[in-house]
Amino acid sequence: MAAPSGQTSTPSPQTSKRALPREPSSEIPSKRRTSAPSTLPSLPPAPLQPSGPFVEGSIVRIAMENFLTYDICEVSPGPHLNMIIGANGTGKSSIVCAICLGLAGKPAFMGRADKVGFFVKRGCSKGTVEIELFKASGNLVITREIDVTKNQSFWYINKKSTTQREVEEQIAALNIQVGNLCQFLPQDKVGEFAKLSKIELLEATEKSIGPPEMHKYHCELKNFREKEKQLETSCKEKNEYLEKMIQRNERYKQDVERFYERKRHLDLIEMLEAKRPWVEYENVRQEYEEVKLARDQAKEEVRKLKEGQIPVTRRIEEIEGQRHILEVRIKEKAVDIKEASQKCKQKQDVLERKDKHIEELQQALTVKQNEEHDRQRRISNTRKMIEDLQNELKATESCESLQPQIDSIADELRRVQDEKASCEGEIVDKRREREMLEKEKKSVHEHMVRFDNLMNQKEDKLRQRYRDTYEAVLWLRSNRDKFKQRVCEPMMLMINMKDNRNAKYIENHISANDLRAFVFESQEDMEVFMREVRDNKKLRVNAVIAPNSSYAEKAPSRSLNELRQYGFFSYLRELFDAPDPVMSYLCCQYNIHEVPVGTDRTREKIERVIKETRLKQIYTAEERYVVKTSVYSNKVISCNTSLKVAQFLTVTVDLEQRRQLEEQLKEIHRKVHAVDSGLMALRETNKQLEHRDNELRQKKKELLERKTKKRQLEQKISSKLGSLRLMEQDTCNLEEEERKASAKIKEINVQKAKVVTELTNLIKICASLHMQKVDLILQNTTAISEKNKLESDYMATSSQLRITEQNFMELDENRNRLLQKCKELMKRARQVCNLGAAQTVPRQYQTQVPTIPNGRSSSPPMAFQDLPNTLDEIDALLTEERSRASCFTGLNPTIVHEYARREEEIGQLTEELQRKKVELDKYRESISQVKERWLNPLKELVEKINEKFSNFFSSMQCAGEVDLHAENEEDYDKYGIRIRVKFRSSTQLHELTPHHQSGGERSVSTMLYLMALQELNRCPFRVVDEINQGMDPINERRVFEMVVNTACKENTSQYFFITPKLLQNLPYSENMTVLFVYNGPHMLEPSRWNLKAFQRRRRRITFTQPSQ
């Protein structure tokens, strides 16, 4: 393809993807196979000098070795618009990656891989990227050598080793920002530009085209505003706190004055308590002198009493000897009396035994008389009873007429008992059946609880990661009646892995947005759902529609048996279960029925698998392979990525099994209800049989009683007649018994008379011994009386002596106590007065009265002589002062300290608040100054962007505007750039968002905004990769014209425009450079590529054609 441009570069790739030329007239370097030296990568030798109007920091040369699709390649862009064109997969975006990584960009920013080692060509251990930047003082060459093994980079500036920080500082000095989407827009980040918030867009625009100090001023404003808010809050809080402190001290001022008034009373109390020990000491000393005198008098009285007790003691000892002799004689008489008394007692015992014998004989006779009377009475009663039984026997009916009734009732009773036994057996069977059902119900319920726990784990993960989606799930469960057809919850809840080890394949294959998407069968249902959830509840959720015709059961194009030889064991669809709409959507959208899953054996044969199977997507144990076929060369191109660890689908819930358990539980409930109904009916039947059984038993009992009554009467009559005969035979002769008893009693009385005579003699002897004993006792009593009198006198004297001695001891003890008390009181009094042991008591003792903080003092000092001199007066005054002091209730000693502390703190707070206000005024003044330096230039800059942006849109018969948006003028961190566009005349201007406009409209808006920045841009270059892919032909042509017209102007920065295709008959400029990227199996080797030779040959052909 020929490009009508000022500079047209031709390709020189190898069999795989190859390089671009440096200059239209330069030769392409040969392919390098040797490894680079350790100090510097092996790249084309010397940097080029600028050959055009390059701006400071523009890219002069890009060199790559073993980088992505290139073995070795060097690109020399022009100073203005550089259009890089080539088919998909040829390596255009690889140049963009080289610019990003070569200028210290992050690998993740490209959206391809998060590790720099993945950008090295497969099979190579090292890769190199070299970027030459234009500088007026001498070009800057930055080299980045990538080590795949260590996933590490080595940096060089102008062939000298350096650090990444130094490289970043050099790049920042040239205002190169590869992380700014307004300057560097790679292919995988095009969609993210529209996702930039207004705040992020303003920041990116400031960094990209604003003066160097603009973003700095903005950051300072945000910091100043934040500190201003902090100071305002601090001042407000401190001012409120200060007011509270002042109010609190005002409240406590009266309490402080009352506290010092109370202190005056307490000081007087202290003086009184100081004098009281001296008064007590003097009183106790006088009391000590009096007690000492009384003690000496008691001591003399004790001596006299002890001398008067000696004669009485001697007489008592003489009487005690006489009394001892009399007591011995009394004891002898007592022994004789005891012997006589024992003999008398023996005779009395004999008489008692005789009387008891007589009494027994009389009682035996009485018993026999009573027994005879009782026998006669029982005979009479028995005869009467026999007569009554005989009369009753005559009235009893015959037994033969009752037997048929008894037999009939017995048969009926047996039948009822058989039915009852059968019913009870059925009840037992029903109860056993119910117990089995309850056990089964419990087991099923436990299984369901385990399933619910697993489901809750999945829902917890959803709630933690996607809160809005979780809220939408809860809303859906409560509002399913609003939908006409089936609505499936997010796929991550509906998908159940058969083996959770395979979850990583599904999560790597299905996007996260679809995993959390709701699946609908009806477009109307989805609109209802999105209106309620997204518009009304403001929840960010995703929703998809399942295909009208189900793809869930669609067969794969190749049988799995054919693929087993390569290590494949399943298709993705067979690894999990899901509802039919979810499975149908995934089969239609992600072709899960066509994507096989293999093992490590598949990885070992991957080249053979790709070549022979022609599969588009392949999974091995740890990698995913995507296979594409070039539309130009029909060459197979593959790329692989490592599988990420599964996060959501590791919890497996078998919904089909849970549904079966629910059905089983319903069936168990139905059976339990049926068993309960049957059991209730059987119990009612059993109750009726029980009642009938009782009735029959009662009837049978009554008939049996009537049948056996006559036999019982006959038996009773026979028994009574036998008893009557026995009673009549058992007779007794009472007269004979009475005569025998009288004879025995008479004989016993004769024996009693003899014993009484002997007892009388013994009593006389005993009386004589008692008289002798009494005489001796009287003598002993006289001696005892005299002794007692003497002892009484002695005891009286002794009692008086004890009292006197006790009085003496008490007085002596009291004297010692008073002496000790005097010493203690003296010591305490000296301590109170702070006197030493050798010091004399002063005449006056004064105490200092504290002064109140306001300078006023209390009453004048008070001396001891001004205080009362008696304890009663001191105690009365103490009581009075204490009462007065106690009137000051609720006072806390800490109040005074708190009052003073708060007064000091109020002063400190006042000073600090004043300093804060001064500091706040300074910040406000700084904000005003910085705001004026920042906001006015920013408004002018935005107005210029808006003017160019509006003009671009107007030229496309559309409308667009850019304005500076801020909800609050003082919130500098909320300032942002708002882009509003309108592509149809019937609509209003709408803000550019990722959701409102279509993909093509977003691409056009993004491109035109970047073009509006182009002439204002102070960055050295801009890169835009394949932004025209979503545009329709009309918009693409218009945008291309604008890009050419804008980027090819003089004094504009360098521009890289990457595209895989172009429309026909597009306008071009002499200032643009077109770089073609070719590849294919028929390309020349680099060593054979010579651009100058091709140009000379082309000129010769052109010159010779007319002559022919």
Side-chain angles (χ1 to χ4, degrees), residues 961-978:
E961 67 178 30
V962 176
D963 62 356
L964 186 64
H965 180 266
E967 297 178 357
N968 184 359
E969 188 177 354
E970 300 301 324
D971 291 337
Y972 304 107
D973 56 343
K974 298 294 192 299
Y975 273 76
I977 287 182
R978 180 173 60 179

mmCIF file of all heavy atoms in Angstrom, residues 961-978:
data_model
loop_
_atom_site.group_PDB
_atom_site.id
_atom_site.type_symbol
_atom_site.label_atom_id
_atom_site.label_comp_id
_atom_site.label_asym_id
_atom_site.label_seq_id
_atom_site.Cartn_x
_atom_site.Cartn_y
_atom_site.Cartn_z
ATOM 1 N N GLU A 961 -19.209 20.124 24.538
ATOM 2 C CA GLU A 961 -18.632 21.219 25.303
ATOM 3 C C GLU A 961 -17.862 20.649 26.484
ATOM 4 O O GLU A 961 -18.133 19.537 26.955
ATOM 5 C CB GLU A 961 -19.703 22.193 25.779
ATOM 6 C CG GLU A 961 -20.663 21.622 26.802
ATOM 7 C CD GLU A 961 -21.665 22.662 27.273
ATOM 8 O OE1 GLU A 961 -22.006 23.576 26.492
ATOM 9 O OE2 GLU A 961 -22.101 22.544 28.425
ATOM 10 N N VAL A 962 -16.889 21.410 26.931
ATOM 11 C CA VAL A 962 -16.051 21.051 28.072
ATOM 12 C C VAL A 962 -16.122 22.211 29.049
ATOM 13 O O VAL A 962 -15.937 23.373 28.651
ATOM 14 C CB VAL A 962 -14.587 20.799 27.649
ATOM 15 C CG1 VAL A 962 -13.725 20.519 28.868
ATOM 16 C CG2 VAL A 962 -14.509 19.647 26.667
ATOM 17 N N ASP A 963 -16.435 21.943 30.313
ATOM 18 C CA ASP A 963 -16.482 23.008 31.308
ATOM 19 C C ASP A 963 -15.842 22.548 32.606
ATOM 20 O O ASP A 963 -15.626 21.358 32.836
ATOM 21 C CB ASP A 963 -17.922 23.478 31.543
ATOM 22 C CG ASP A 963 -18.803 22.358 32.079
ATOM 23 O OD1 ASP A 963 -18.310 21.211 32.186
ATOM 24 O OD2 ASP A 963 -19.974 22.619 32.393
ATOM 25 N N LEU A 964 -15.535 23.535 33.417
ATOM 26 C CA LEU A 964 -14.953 23.272 34.743
ATOM 27 C C LEU A 964 -16.103 23.145 35.727
ATOM 28 O O LEU A 964 -16.892 24.080 35.909
ATOM 29 C CB LEU A 964 -14.022 24.427 35.136
ATOM 30 C CG LEU A 964 -13.235 24.212 36.442
ATOM 31 C CD1 LEU A 964 -12.290 23.036 36.313
ATOM 32 C CD2 LEU A 964 -12.440 25.475 36.777
ATOM 33 N N HIS A 965 -16.206 21.990 36.345
ATOM 34 C CA HIS A 965 -17.361 21.676 37.200
ATOM 35 C C HIS A 965 -16.917 21.605 38.657
ATOM 36 O O HIS A 965 -15.905 20.982 38.985
ATOM 37 C CB HIS A 965 -17.973 20.345 36.774
ATOM 38 C CG HIS A 965 -19.170 19.943 37.585
ATOM 39 N ND1 HIS A 965 -19.060 19.130 38.681
ATOM 40 C CD2 HIS A 965 -20.484 20.265 37.463
ATOM 41 C CE1 HIS A 965 -20.253 18.957 39.204
ATOM 42 N NE2 HIS A 965 -21.140 19.628 38.472
ATOM 43 N N ALA A 966 -17.685 22.278 39.498
ATOM 44 C CA ALA A 966 -17.412 22.211 40.941
ATOM 45 C C ALA A 966 -18.719 22.439 41.684
ATOM 46 O O ALA A 966 -19.426 23.427 41.430
ATOM 47 C CB ALA A 966 -16.371 23.248 41.357
ATOM 48 N N GLU A 967 -19.080 21.530 42.585
ATOM 49 C CA GLU A 967 -20.318 21.672 43.352
ATOM 50 C C GLU A 967 -20.180 22.793 44.381
ATOM 51 O O GLU A 967 -21.133 23.516 44.654
ATOM 52 C CB GLU A 967 -20.657 20.350 44.049
ATOM 53 C CG GLU A 967 -20.934 19.223 43.063
ATOM 54 C CD GLU A 967 -21.218 17.907 43.771
ATOM 55 O OE1 GLU A 967 -21.144 17.899 45.020
ATOM 56 O OE2 GLU A 967 -21.509 16.918 43.083
ATOM 57 N N ASN A 968 -19.009 22.913 44.958
ATOM 58 C CA ASN A 968 -18.742 23.959 45.932
ATOM 59 C C ASN A 968 -17.422 24.621 45.552
ATOM 60 O O ASN A 968 -16.413 23.942 45.357
ATOM 61 C CB ASN A 968 -18.667 23.373 47.349
ATOM 62 C CG ASN A 968 -18.492 24.454 48.402
ATOM 63 O OD1 ASN A 968 -18.406 25.641 48.093
ATOM 64 N ND2 ASN A 968 -18.434 24.050 49.652
ATOM 65 N N GLU A 969 -17.438 25.923 45.438
ATOM 66 C CA GLU A 969 -16.250 26.637 44.961
ATOM 67 C C GLU A 969 -15.058 26.468 45.886
ATOM 68 O O GLU A 969 -13.920 26.559 45.459
ATOM 69 C CB GLU A 969 -16.584 28.130 44.800
ATOM 70 C CG GLU A 969 -15.475 28.942 44.135
ATOM 71 C CD GLU A 969 -15.868 30.384 43.933
ATOM 72 O OE1 GLU A 969 -17.049 30.713 44.201
ATOM 73 O OE2 GLU A 969 -15.012 31.172 43.520
ATOM 74 N N GLU A 970 -15.337 26.186 47.186
ATOM 75 C CA GLU A 970 -14.253 26.079 48.151
ATOM 76 C C GLU A 970 -13.672 24.670 48.238
ATOM 77 O O GLU A 970 -12.626 24.472 48.835
ATOM 78 C CB GLU A 970 -14.753 26.504 49.537
ATOM 79 C CG GLU A 970 -15.262 27.929 49.607
ATOM 80 C CD GLU A 970 -14.198 28.937 49.224
ATOM 81 O OE1 GLU A 970 -13.018 28.695 49.558
ATOM 82 O OE2 GLU A 970 -14.536 29.954 48.592
ATOM 83 N N ASP A 971 -14.387 23.674 47.698
ATOM 84 C CA ASP A 971 -13.893 22.287 47.744
ATOM 85 C C ASP A 971 -13.012 22.051 46.525
ATOM 86 O O ASP A 971 -13.473 21.601 45.467
ATOM 87 C CB ASP A 971 -15.060 21.289 47.770
ATOM 88 C CG ASP A 971 -15.812 21.339 49.075
ATOM 89 O OD1 ASP A 971 -15.200 21.781 50.066
ATOM 90 O OD2 ASP A 971 -16.989 20.962 49.103
ATOM 91 N N TYR A 972 -11.725 22.337 46.672
ATOM 92 C CA TYR A 972 -10.820 22.248 45.530
ATOM 93 C C TYR A 972 -10.527 20.812 45.127
ATOM 94 O O TYR A 972 -10.095 20.574 44.005
ATOM 95 C CB TYR A 972 -9.516 22.988 45.864
ATOM 96 C CG TYR A 972 -9.761 24.419 46.252
ATOM 97 C CD1 TYR A 972 -9.629 24.828 47.588
ATOM 98 C CD2 TYR A 972 -10.156 25.360 45.308
ATOM 99 C CE1 TYR A 972 -9.874 26.144 47.962
ATOM 100 C CE2 TYR A 972 -10.403 26.680 45.680
ATOM 101 C CZ TYR A 972 -10.273 27.067 47.008
ATOM 102 O OH TYR A 972 -10.517 28.351 47.359
ATOM 103 N N ASP A 973 -10.726 19.874 46.044
ATOM 104 C CA ASP A 973 -10.532 18.469 45.677
ATOM 105 C C ASP A 973 -11.725 17.906 44.917
ATOM 106 O O ASP A 973 -11.679 16.769 44.461
ATOM 107 C CB ASP A 973 -10.279 17.622 46.932
ATOM 108 C CG ASP A 973 -11.394 17.769 47.954
ATOM 109 O OD1 ASP A 973 -12.167 18.734 47.844
ATOM 110 O OD2 ASP A 973 -11.474 16.919 48.864
ATOM 111 N N LYS A 974 -12.811 18.708 44.775
ATOM 112 C CA LYS A 974 -13.992 18.251 44.042
ATOM 113 C C LYS A 974 -14.078 18.895 42.656
ATOM 114 O O LYS A 974 -15.015 18.635 41.904
ATOM 115 C CB LYS A 974 -15.264 18.582 44.833
ATOM 116 C CG LYS A 974 -15.364 17.910 46.180
ATOM 117 C CD LYS A 974 -15.484 16.393 46.038
ATOM 118 C CE LYS A 974 -15.876 15.737 47.352
ATOM 119 N NZ LYS A 974 -14.898 15.954 48.413
ATOM 120 N N TYR A 975 -13.130 19.762 42.311
ATOM 121 C CA TYR A 975 -13.124 20.367 40.974
ATOM 122 C C TYR A 975 -12.869 19.279 39.932
ATOM 123 O O TYR A 975 -12.080 18.347 40.174
ATOM 124 C CB TYR A 975 -12.038 21.428 40.887
ATOM 125 C CG TYR A 975 -12.477 22.802 41.346
ATOM 126 C CD1 TYR A 975 -12.618 23.085 42.698
ATOM 127 C CD2 TYR A 975 -12.760 23.808 40.424
ATOM 128 C CE1 TYR A 975 -13.018 24.343 43.128
ATOM 129 C CE2 TYR A 975 -13.153 25.069 40.832
ATOM 130 C CZ TYR A 975 -13.293 25.334 42.199
ATOM 131 O OH TYR A 975 -13.693 26.578 42.604
ATOM 132 N N GLY A 976 -13.509 19.395 38.794
ATOM 133 C CA GLY A 976 -13.299 18.417 37.741
ATOM 134 C C GLY A 976 -13.669 18.986 36.387
ATOM 135 O O GLY A 976 -14.347 20.018 36.273
ATOM 136 N N ILE A 977 -13.235 18.283 35.343
ATOM 137 C CA ILE A 977 -13.576 18.661 33.977
ATOM 138 C C ILE A 977 -14.721 17.780 33.514
ATOM 139 O O ILE A 977 -14.627 16.539 33.581
ATOM 140 C CB ILE A 977 -12.365 18.518 33.036
ATOM 141 C CG1 ILE A 977 -11.362 19.634 33.327
ATOM 142 C CG2 ILE A 977 -12.796 18.565 31.580
ATOM 143 C CD1 ILE A 977 -10.153 19.619 32.434
ATOM 144 N N ARG A 978 -15.791 18.401 33.074
ATOM 145 C CA ARG A 978 -16.976 17.668 32.617
ATOM 146 C C ARG A 978 -17.071 17.769 31.099
ATOM 147 O O ARG A 978 -17.031 18.871 30.534
ATOM 148 C CB ARG A 978 -18.232 18.239 33.277
ATOM 149 C CG ARG A 978 -19.503 17.538 32.860
ATOM 150 C CD ARG A 978 -20.690 18.036 33.660
ATOM 151 N NE ARG A 978 -20.883 19.485 33.472
ATOM 152 C CZ ARG A 978 -21.854 20.183 34.042
ATOM 153 N NH1 ARG A 978 -22.710 19.568 34.868
ATOM 154 N NH2 ARG A 978 -21.967 21.490 33.838
#
